Amino acid sequence: MGVSGCGKSTVAVGIAHALGWPFAEADDVHPPRNVAAMRSGRPLSDDDRWPWLADLAGWIAAQDAHGRSSVMACSALRRSHRDVLRTGAPGVAFIHLDGPADLVAARVAARTGHFMPVSLLQSQVAT
């Protein structure tokens, strides 16, 4: 968990690979309307996030139902967001990645092909 650009995907892929566990990138599950909102510079509201988080919890539950541990990269910035994810399996744990705001902003600004603009980073930090 953490703000965009903090290294969630890189770390999560490494953990999943090292442990041989399935990996999910939560950004890939956002519905088109959420992606369009962020791409246009509008931060998501919790109402935007609830269905997305429920879908992610469903993926966690499916992995758990098959007896598989898994790894996911997801912002999960509020406790209420993490509470939704916890409904997927009883043993969900979180690793919070953080870094200096200027470093994270530079990473986001340097990315290409991602819908999250650097202009929304401060709203994530505030959350």
Side-chain angles (χ1 to χ4, degrees):
M1 64 170 281
V3 299
S4 186
C6 71
K8 294 182 302 292
S9 298
T10 301
V11 171
V13 165
I15 291 170
H17 179 74
L19 298 174
W21 293 355
F23 167 74
E25 172 57 66
D27 283 347
D28 293 343
V29 181
H30 270 296
R33 70 182 175 282
N34 286 7
V35 172
M38 288 182 279
R39 191 168 269 137
S40 74
R42 181 181 68 79
L44 297 181
S45 69
D46 280 348
D47 287 339
D48 295 321
R49 288 186 184 98
W50 298 134
W52 169 68
L53 290 163
D55 288 346
L56 297 172
W59 183 85
I60 293 168
Q63 300 308 309
D64 188 60
H66 287 96
R68 294 187 294 253
S69 295
S70 58
V71 180
M72 177 183 292
C74 179
S75 54
L77 297 174
R78 296 182 195 268
R79 179 179 297 275
S80 58
H81 303 165
R82 296 186 296 277
D83 289 345
V84 172
L85 295 175
R86 283 185 188 97
T87 66
V92 172
F94 297 89
I95 299 171
H96 179 200
L97 300 181
D98 194 14
D102 57 337
L103 172 64
V104 173
R107 287 178 179 171
V108 173
R111 288 196 302 201
T112 59
H114 195 277
F115 54 79
M116 175 72 177
V118 71
S119 63
L120 288 181
L121 185 57
Q122 190 52 47
S123 71
Q124 284 196 330
V125 170
T127 298

